[in-house]
Amino acid sequence: SDLLILSDELLYSNLDVELQEDYEENILHKAECPVLLISETYYEPKTIIMAYDGRESSIYAIKQFLCLFPEYQKLKGVLAYINTGADSIPEKANIEEYIKCHFQENSLLKLKIKNSERFEELVLTHENPLLVTGAYGRSLFSELLKESFIKASIRDHKVPIFVAHK
């Protein structure tokens, strides 16, 4: 398939919370196509927020999103760099040029976020956001130390999320 669309609230309504998270993680890890997670109260996006950490997976997700939803290039594009320890934004000139080629109205945010709640707060400050993100999931050890921002966003069902990984 080119795209899998999941409305997780309805799909998992008969499962308890722990089973929902396990089932969702399984789907996201094993999907061989991009996944669009939406809530039952879906809205038309007005801002596309692209999570960028400098890794190949985030670029891949952005490219997949732009290929599948070319009409959304008319919207505001926000590239949100999530600081992973680097002082500067990796490939800043190249990623800025790429985003400018696809979004007339665009901006770049450099974020130093220590927890997933702060990231979600930032996403929700934009009008009708849709979040684009790369590879979902980390090692069990990494998850024990710090919950990923995407996992919190998925669990809370507040914004539609496009996830793509190779």
Side-chain angles (χ1 to χ4, degrees), residues 113-124 147 149 152 155-156:
I113 294 177
K114 295 193 188 305
N115 66 47
S116 56
E117 288 174 9
R118 294 236 10 254
F119 180 77
E120 190 170 52
E121 287 172 16
L122 176 113
V123 168
L124 292 171
E147 180 181 52
F149 72 88
R155 181 187 62 236
D156 296 341

Side-chain angles (χ1 to χ4, degrees), residues 49-55 58 62 78-92 95 107-113 119 122 149:
I49 299 177
M50 297 157 282
Y52 175 70
D53 61 5
R55 290 186 278 180
S58 58
I62 293 167
V78 177
L79 186 73
Y81 171 65
I82 294 124
N83 188 339
T84 56
D87 288 335
S88 60
I89 299 172
E91 299 292 328
K92 181 180 178 191
I95 191 64
S107 61
L108 174 65
L109 296 174
K110 184 176 178 182
L111 308 169
K112 289 185 179 181
I113 294 177
F119 180 77
L122 176 113
F149 72 88

Side-chain angles (χ1 to χ4, degrees):
S1 175
D2 291 330
L3 178 67
L4 174 61
I5 301 173
L6 289 178
S7 172
D8 50 3
E9 290 175 50
L10 185 59
L11 183 64
Y12 309 131
S13 60
N14 62 340
L15 300 174
D16 68 28
V17 175
E18 283 185 26
L19 283 175
Q20 287 177 15
E21 287 180 12
D22 287 345
Y23 192 60
E24 198 159 68
E25 282 185 39
N26 225 355
I27 289 172
L28 291 173
H29 281 293
K30 293 182 179 180
E32 294 186 15
C33 66
V35 178
L36 181 61
L37 299 164
I38 60 173
S39 72
E40 293 305 308
T41 56
Y42 180 77
Y43 53 79
E44 190 63 33
K46 292 189 178 177
T47 307
I48 307 302
I49 299 177
M50 297 157 282
Y52 175 70
D53 61 5
R55 290 186 278 180
E56 186 179 328
S57 61
S58 58
I59 300 293
Y60 179 79
I62 293 167
K63 286 181 177 182
Q64 288 294 300
F65 178 81
L66 293 171
C67 286
L68 289 168
F69 298 100
E71 67 278 9
Y72 285 167
Q73 294 179 38
K74 298 174 193 165
L75 306 177
K76 180 181 180 183
V78 177
L79 186 73
Y81 171 65
I82 294 124
N83 188 339
T84 56
D87 288 335
S88 60
I89 299 172
E91 299 292 328
K92 181 180 178 191
N94 291 333
I95 191 64
E96 279 185 309
E97 180 181 346
Y98 184 76
I99 296 305
K100 286 178 183 176
C101 287
H102 292 282
F103 292 94
Q104 283 186 333
E105 187 181 349
N106 61 74
S107 61
L108 174 65
L109 296 174
K110 184 176 178 182
L111 308 169
K112 289 185 179 181
I113 294 177
K114 295 193 188 305
N115 66 47
S116 56
E117 288 174 9
R118 294 236 10 254
F119 180 77
E120 190 170 52
E121 287 172 16
L122 176 113
V123 168
L124 292 171
T125 63
H126 292 84
E127 185 178 9
N128 292 5
L130 184 148
L131 178 60
V132 175
T133 186
Y136 174 78
R138 301 177 306 190
S139 70
L140 179 60
F141 179 71
S142 177
E143 284 288 341
L144 288 172
L145 294 176
K146 181 180 170 190
E147 180 181 52
S148 73
F149 72 88
I150 188 67
K151 191 171 185 175
S153 296
I154 289 169
R155 181 187 62 236
D156 296 341
H157 311 288
K158 290 182 182 173
V159 300
I161 303 170
F162 178 88
V163 181
H165 60 85
K166 286 187 175 181

